[in-house]
Amino acid sequence: MEGGGSKEQTVLQTPWRTVHWSKKKDELEWLEAFRPQSDNVRHLRVLLCGPAASGKSSFINSVDSICRKRITGPADANNAQGADPELAKTAGQSYTLKYKTHRIQKGTPGKYYPFVFNDVMGLESDKGILPGDIKLAMEGHVKENYKFDHNTPLVKSNAGYINNPTSNDKAHILVFVLAVDINHVADPQMFKKMTEIRLAARDLDIPQIAILTKIDEKSCDLVKKDLKNVYSSTNIKNAMEKLSNTVGFPLNCIFPLKNYHGEIELNDDMDMLILSALRKILQLANDRVNASGVAAANQTASNVNRT
């Protein structure tokens, strides 16, 4: 089976994408020095969306772990498999229900990196978050701790609605978090929702990327054995190409990685894949903020010239 469903070890002689595996220190130094290039925002807001159990909360935890140089878990993540009867009922369903902002501590308590993550209820074919609510989150209309309801959209009369969002409330990039086998397990309705959300982001001029998770669990044994084989695996490449063809992400905006899950120590190879994706996320979000600032300045100048 192509791209994520097969365990066959199919390998390219030359990796088709370059990862500087020994440059983790350089990536961390870049991250440490990173600042939004606009004075209009306090932080860049990264909105995560994707199917239930795809690894959205785990990605937040993984970034937090790398930044804090130890395994952490600030965002609740669910891996219910049956040990607890009540939790097992949530398997395959969204564990995240509320809109919550996650800040990443930078060194001492009270100091944070200039970007935040927002997690939302998972996408499901028949339930899950409504695409319209994700659009409202992108526009900055969703209050902190608002509880999503797959039956009832957020409306202006709801206490969880922000009437006049600021630049800091709005999302600056949309990140789809998808398991690498998404092409084989998602039905047409799921892809339809994803496309609807992508089009809404496009209309708002919000950049988008996709990260493919669980590449060690749901791809070939080649990657499970050594993460450095990620871009030598034809299974991973096929999964990325199929996602690009199905939903429309450019290949250079798709990043396969492995989140921290069962590990108790950091791993440099895992860190490099996560940091590579994070750099792209922050660069695109920064570009979005800069473009918004230029557009606002041009509009102001135009208004002045008309008076």
Side-chain angles (χ1 to χ4, degrees), residues 79-132:
N79 189 45
Q81 299 294 329
D84 184 302
E86 290 305 310
L87 278 179
K89 294 177 183 177
T90 68
Q93 301 176 16
S94 183
Y95 191 64
T96 299
L97 300 177
K98 294 182 178 181
Y99 189 69
K100 185 176 180 181
T101 300
H102 299 271
R103 297 190 294 176
I104 307 297
Q105 185 175 309
K106 186 177 184 180
T108 57
K111 187 178 180 181
Y112 299 94
Y113 283 90
F115 57 89
V116 299
F117 293 102
N118 277 92
D119 194 3
V120 298
M121 174 188 275
L123 282 170
E124 299 176 40
S125 296
D126 55 344
K127 295 182 180 179
I129 191 169
L130 300 170

Side-chain angles (χ1 to χ4, degrees), residues 26 36 50 58 74 104 110 114 116-117 129 138 142 151 178 197-198 201 205 209 228 257 291 297 302:
D26 293 346
S58 293
I104 307 297
V116 299
F117 293 102
I129 191 169
M138 288 189 283
V142 183
N151 288 315
L178 310 165
I197 293 164
R198 285 206 71 219
D205 293 324
I209 77 163
K228 287 191 176 75
L257 53 82
S302 177

Side-chain angles (χ1 to χ4, degrees), residues 58 62 71-72 79 216-217 258-266 270:
S58 293
S62 296
I71 299 298
T72 64
N79 189 45
D216 60 320
E217 301 174 35
K258 170 179 166 55
N259 283 326
Y260 281 101
H261 171 59
E263 296 78 11
I264 60 173
E265 298 290 343
L266 296 178
M270 291 174 62

Side-chain angles (χ1 to χ4, degrees), residues 3-148:
S6 173
K7 294 287 185 178
E8 283 186 35
Q9 297 192 36
T10 47
V11 58
L12 300 169
Q13 289 191 352
T14 303
W16 65 275
R17 181 182 284 178
T18 301
V19 177
H20 299 288
W21 298 103
S22 63
K23 300 291 188 179
K24 176 182 171 181
K25 181 180 178 182
D26 293 346
E27 287 297 314
L28 289 173
E29 288 177 351
W30 180 89
L31 188 61
E32 184 73 18
F34 176 79
R35 297 288 186 278
Q37 295 177 350
S38 172
D39 295 331
N40 296 327
V41 296
R42 295 191 304 272
H43 48 241
L44 302 178
R45 187 174 298 277
V46 180
L47 180 61
L48 306 179
C49 78
S54 61
K56 299 183 295 298
S57 297
S58 293
F59 179 67
I60 297 172
N61 291 339
S62 296
V63 172
D64 190 80
S65 295
I66 294 170
C67 291
R68 298 179 67 180
K69 298 180 176 59
R70 63 179 178 84
I71 299 298
T72 64
D76 287 339
N78 186 26
N79 189 45
Q81 299 294 329
D84 184 302
E86 290 305 310
L87 278 179
K89 294 177 183 177
T90 68
Q93 301 176 16
S94 183
Y95 191 64
T96 299
L97 300 177
K98 294 182 178 181
Y99 189 69
K100 185 176 180 181
T101 300
H102 299 271
R103 297 190 294 176
I104 307 297
Q105 185 175 309
K106 186 177 184 180
T108 57
K111 187 178 180 181
Y112 299 94
Y113 283 90
F115 57 89
V116 299
F117 293 102
N118 277 92
D119 194 3
V120 298
M121 174 188 275
L123 282 170
E124 299 176 40
S125 296
D126 55 344
K127 295 182 180 179
I129 191 169
L130 300 170
D133 282 353
I134 293 183
K135 181 180 179 181
L136 290 177
M138 288 189 283
E139 293 173 326
H141 290 296
V142 183
K143 282 187 179 180
E144 188 78 358
N145 291 318
Y146 169 73
K147 187 174 182 180
F148 295 102

